[in-house]
Amino acid sequence: MSVDSKSNQFTHSNVERRASIVYGSVGKQGLFVPKDFLHLGAQQEDSSEQNEHEPLLGLPNNQSTKPRRKSSVARELLQQERDILINNQIPCDETDDNNIALAFEDAVINKKIKKATPLNELVALVKSSIPLVMTFLLQNSLSTVSVFSVGHLGAAELAAVSMGAMTANISGYATIQGVSTALDTLCPQAFGAKKYHLVGEYMQKCIALNFVIIAPVLVIWVFFGGEILKHIIPDEDTAVFAGEYLFYLCPGIPAYIMFECGKRFLQAQGIYHISTIVLLFAAPCNLVMNLIFVKKFGFIGAPIAVSINYWIMFLGLLFSTLYISRKSDTDTPMKCWSSLSVRRAFLGWRNLVSLAIPGWIMLEAEFLAFEILTFMASYLGTRKLAAQAVGLTIASLTYQVPFAIGIASSTRIANYLGAGLGESAKTTTKVAICFGFVVSLLNFFTLYIFQMPIAELFTKDPKVIEIIHDIMWLVALMQISDSMNANSAGCLRGQGQTKIGGIVNLVSYYVIGIPMSIYLSFFSPWKGSLDGLWIGTTTALTIIAVVQTYCSLHVDFDYLCDQARKRTSESLLF
């Protein structure tokens, strides 16, 4: 069966079957994409020969006569197609697989399926988020373990690791992650449009772009980091330690770049379990190395352990991806990899840069805002700086849960838009926002109830613990706004609207939040406490969450589908 390309782009074939859109695959608990329900193309051409100007959802070849595969994935897909037909009250013979496939195809072509159901989307997001939450918590534990291990050396060392991490976050991690957010839009949309080779090419281009940007930053860290920090941090010993932290962190940054981009390469295909497995091995290694290296080498043992661990993470991700591709001949991560081309990696950055810049601004604005607060805390005293470091570490850990939901939502929304299913993308956006709000309440109650036990995990200094206890109610309260911010930002990335996030982050933090924090902490009747820093931050996050949520829910999804079509149809060479 086929249709005219001008009237409809959907078709049905019995090959190139993948997992379903609603539930996770067996053993992967991964995200499945709208294209899985569209069954496009009977035979995939060699990716290097595909025309990048072809329609978004390629035109059908002759109908395949091969029987539908009876793998567990295919059976699960059939069940989901059956459920969707039933939910939409579309008649079909529930016992006949071929009838289900034809009825589903006819429903898509004639637009009888308007959107996915909220319940199905919720189930899919929960299943997708679980391995992502594990991944991000494990990844975030790398820096948390450093704070934990160094914190027991003393307040000065705890303050130093906080300042070193602050500098690394502002000038390094925020840049890498911000640039890499472009892949959260480009790769899932290319995958949803069945242009698999573009997924791999975008990843290579993003790695190259990150290397070009981060190279001068590493030079500064190595040769000038300590001296620069001496002019910024009031305590010289803290500045020296922080400079050493940056120096020993440098060798691991290239591996961190490749891991971040590789992780997004897999996430775009709905494959989340590989990075989780890698981190399940890497996180304990990081803990053991931290404990051993800090005991043997002192403060510098922490950044050395983190740097080594980044290479363990990257090599583990690479090995796992290649190993899986050899074990199976279908539905493998490497189907989105055509070949390594260094020359092409440094060409055709237009689409990438157009999304990377606002993505970088959005993340950099947030990273920098929080690190400015850490910097201001250094002028309130060493113990208050140490308490601020613990508070930010706790907030960062809890942030990983809504952030994981945001990533799952981003991928799913982008997949839908790439396949031209705007109504389903709209449903996913609504479900993601509601799901994120529930998680925000859970984070709030967890931190509020377990204030003292959490503080005592990080330090034994009673005065630092007392300060932490004083601000924990604010750290807990901030979770509601921060969670909504993470989820709405994920929706905007999936929709390709990162510019909105960039603008609202800049205005909220630097026009409202930070000035309020400075006033409350240094000039108001309550000056000298950390409370003002957290009140200003919470105010900014609340504004961001409200604006981003509104924008993500009130966008024209048909327009977003058109934008996705144009984006994946354009040549990468210009």
Side-chain angles (χ1 to χ4, degrees):
M1 180 182 296
S2 62
V3 294
D4 182 77
S5 62
K6 293 182 180 180
S7 63
N8 198 292
Q9 292 175 313
F10 300 105
T11 187
H12 195 294
S13 70
N14 292 331
V15 297
E16 200 59 35
R17 303 284 294 171
R18 298 195 304 279
S20 82
I21 190 173
V22 180
Y23 296 107
S25 65
V26 177
K28 292 185 178 181
Q29 300 182 8
L31 172 69
F32 298 133
V33 302
K35 291 282 296 180
D36 299 333
F37 284 140
L38 307 183
H39 323 298
L40 297 175
Q43 185 173 4
Q44 180 180 353
E45 297 179 275
D46 184 86
S47 61
S48 63
E49 297 176 355
Q50 290 186 17
N51 182 359
E52 292 171 357
H53 294 282
E54 65 185 84
L56 177 67
L57 301 179
L59 296 178
N61 295 324
N62 295 333
Q63 178 73 21
S64 172
T65 58
K66 294 181 180 180
R68 291 165 67 90
R69 288 194 283 129
K70 298 298 181 181
S71 67
S72 59
V73 172
R75 289 193 299 270
E76 185 177 343
L77 175 55
L78 280 169
Q79 181 59 47
Q80 303 321 314
E81 291 175 347
R82 181 184 293 109
D83 291 343
I84 288 178
L85 290 172
I86 294 173
N87 290 337
N88 285 269
Q89 298 181 342
I90 299 172
C92 66
D93 184 351
E94 298 179 21
T95 62
D96 187 339
D97 290 353
N98 288 329
N99 182 268
I100 291 172
L102 293 174
F104 186 83
E105 177 190 2
D106 178 72
V108 172
I109 292 173
N110 293 290
K111 299 182 178 180
K112 296 178 183 179
I113 300 175
K114 298 299 182 182
K115 59 182 178 180
T117 64
L119 179 59
N120 283 342
E121 289 306 294
L122 177 60
V123 171
L125 286 179
V126 170
K127 287 194 173 185
S128 300
S129 300
I130 290 173
L132 278 174
V133 168
M134 294 177 61
T135 297
F136 291 125
L137 284 175
L138 288 168
Q139 188 169 344
N140 190 260
S141 72
L142 304 182
S143 57
T144 303
V145 165
S146 296
V147 174
F148 178 79
S149 60
V150 171
H152 292 276
L153 295 177
E157 286 82 358
L158 179 57
V161 77
S162 174
M163 295 304 293
M166 178 200 78
T167 308
N169 283 336
I170 293 174
S171 56
Y173 295 129
T175 299
I176 295 167
Q177 292 185 22
V179 171
S180 300
T181 57
L183 298 182
D184 293 337
T185 300
L186 294 173
C187 288
Q189 289 186 355
F191 189 81
K194 201 184 175 186
K195 295 192 175 180
Y196 302 132
H197 68 293
L198 295 188
V199 180
E201 289 193 18
Y202 277 131
M203 180 188 68
Q204 293 183 55
K205 292 177 187 298
C206 194
I207 291 174
L209 180 59
N210 268 308
F211 277 144
V212 169
I213 294 174
I214 212 68
V217 174
L218 297 184
V219 171
I220 294 174
W221 285 8
V222 171
F223 295 104
F224 309 105
E227 292 300 318
I228 292 175
L229 290 174
K230 286 181 182 179
H231 295 287
I232 298 176
I233 301 174
D235 183 72
E236 185 172 346
D237 290 338
T238 300
V240 171
F241 277 131
E244 291 181 348
Y245 183 92
L246 294 177
F247 180 87
Y248 288 101
L249 196 64
C250 282
I253 296 301
Y256 179 80
I257 291 173
M258 291 184 286
F259 178 81
E260 279 296 310
C261 293
K263 184 174 67 177
R264 285 170 165 83
F265 168 78
L266 296 174
Q267 288 171 0
Q269 304 173 58
I271 301 172
Y272 303 118
H273 70 295
I274 291 181
S275 54
T276 304
I277 292 172
V278 170
L279 286 166
L280 280 171
F281 172 76
C285 287
N286 180 64
L287 174 61
V288 172
M289 286 190 294
N290 259 277
L291 295 176
I292 294 175
F293 291 178
V294 169
K295 184 176 181 180
K296 185 174 181 61
F297 304 114
F299 176 84
I300 63 172
I304 291 174
V306 172
S307 188
I308 293 174
N309 208 61
Y310 285 152
W311 283 102
I312 293 175
M313 288 160 52
F314 164 65
L315 294 175
L317 189 75
L318 179 63
F319 173 79
S320 300
T321 303
L322 294 176
Y323 175 75
I324 288 176
S325 69
R326 287 199 303 267
K327 293 293 288 184
S328 175
D329 60 351
T330 59
D331 298 321
T332 67
M334 296 306 293
K335 71 182 175 183
C336 291
W337 178 267
S338 54
S339 63
L340 175 64
S341 175
V342 176
R343 184 184 66 85
R344 286 181 61 85
F346 286 88
L347 296 174
W349 285 356
R350 185 180 64 180
N351 282 342
L352 187 65
V353 171
S354 68
L355 291 168
I357 291 177
W360 172 76
I361 291 174
M362 183 165 60
L363 273 186
E364 187 69 58
E366 185 168 358
F367 269 75
L368 185 58
F370 276 93
E371 305 310 346
I372 286 175
L373 299 181
T374 302
F375 173 68
M376 288 192 292
S378 68
Y379 285 89
L380 297 176
T382 300
R383 284 193 169 89
K384 289 183 177 178
L385 174 58
Q388 177 75 0
V390 173
L392 286 175
T393 301
I394 294 170
S396 179
L397 275 174
T398 55
Y399 176 80
Q400 304 310 310
V401 179
F403 182 64
I405 298 171
I407 291 293
S409 305
S410 172
T411 305
R412 196 167 183 83
I413 291 168
N415 286 157
Y416 274 133
L417 295 176
L421 299 177
E423 283 299 316
S424 293
K426 185 176 182 178
T427 300
T428 302
T429 301
K430 291 180 179 179
V431 172
I433 295 298
C434 294
F435 185 22
F437 180 68
V438 173
V439 169
S440 73
L441 294 178
L442 293 176
N443 280 349
F444 166 76
F445 286 115
T446 300
L447 293 189
Y448 190 79
I449 293 172
F450 300 103
Q451 296 181 41
M452 289 303 294
I454 292 173
E456 292 171 354
L457 287 175
F458 288 89
T459 181
K460 298 187 182 301
D461 189 318
K463 293 185 178 180
V464 175
I465 293 175
E466 182 180 351
I467 298 172
I468 295 172
H469 182 262
D470 290 339
I471 64 171
M472 276 299 290
W473 72 275
L474 284 168
V475 178
L477 183 63
M478 190 190 76
Q479 298 308 305
I480 297 177
S481 298
D482 205 15
S483 295
M484 296 304 294
N485 165 40
N487 280 278
S488 58
C491 293
L492 290 177
R493 284 196 303 273
Q495 296 169 359
Q497 296 195 96
T498 49
K499 289 181 181 179
I500 294 175
I503 294 171
V504 71
N505 271 264
L506 283 174
V507 173
S508 299
Y509 280 123
Y510 298 99
V511 176
I512 301 173
I514 292 177
M516 181 183 292
S517 294
I518 293 174
Y519 170 74
L520 291 175
S521 295
F522 295 98
F523 302 103
S524 74
W526 305 281
K527 64 181 180 181
S529 72
L530 291 176
D531 291 24
L533 300 181
W534 289 91
I535 291 172
T537 303
T538 302
T539 302
L541 281 170
T542 302
I543 296 172
I544 294 169
V546 170
V547 174
Q548 288 185 163
T549 299
Y550 178 85
C551 292
S552 64
L553 291 173
H554 292 82
V555 67
D556 185 343
F557 283 86
D558 290 333
Y559 170 77
L560 294 180
C561 287
D562 292 338
Q563 292 298 107
R565 180 179 295 108
K566 293 176 182 178
R567 189 176 292 119
T568 54
S569 295
E570 291 177 353
S571 172
L572 292 175
L573 296 178
F574 299 99

